Amino acid sequence: MSSYGETGARKTSRTSGLAIAGLVCGIVGLFVLPVILGPLAVIFGAVALRQTGSVMAKWDIALGAIDIILMIVMFVIAANNGGTFTWHVG
């Protein structure tokens, strides 16, 4: 006998908005404003990791750390070049 009242159990995603925000901050921070977006990615990732434990939150923390490391490298290069940091293409 079939039951018409049953609904299929849907598996809900455990990805939070903070994890998505952290991922966006981490990726954009690789190109623009790593001073601000890198730490934000780490913070959003840490909060999302505590709430959901998702893999995306771990990526947020890793990208934020890479942003911070790149920022430190750029500061060191700028300090060694007399306070300026320029890109030369070609």
Side-chain angles (χ1 to χ4, degrees):
M1 185 160 132
S2 65
S3 172
Y4 294 107
E6 285 184 32
T7 58
R10 261 194 322 194
K11 197 170 207 174
T12 59
S13 174
R14 292 187 44 95
T15 303
S16 71
L18 285 173
I20 294 170
L23 191 64
V24 169
C25 286
I27 292 171
V28 173
L30 291 172
F31 304 104
V32 181
L33 293 174
V35 174
I36 298 169
L37 296 177
L40 278 177
V42 172
I43 292 168
F44 289 157
V47 173
L49 185 64
R50 183 173 290 228
Q51 288 178 352
T52 63
S54 69
V55 175
M56 189 182 294
K58 294 175 185 176
W59 277 98
D60 299 343
I61 295 169
L63 282 172
I66 290 170
D67 288 346
I68 293 169
I69 290 169
L70 286 176
M71 175 186 63
I72 292 170
V73 168
M74 286 191 303
F75 284 159
V76 168
I77 291 172
N80 288 333
N81 288 334
T84 60
F85 184 78
T86 58
W87 292 96
H88 295 288
V89 178

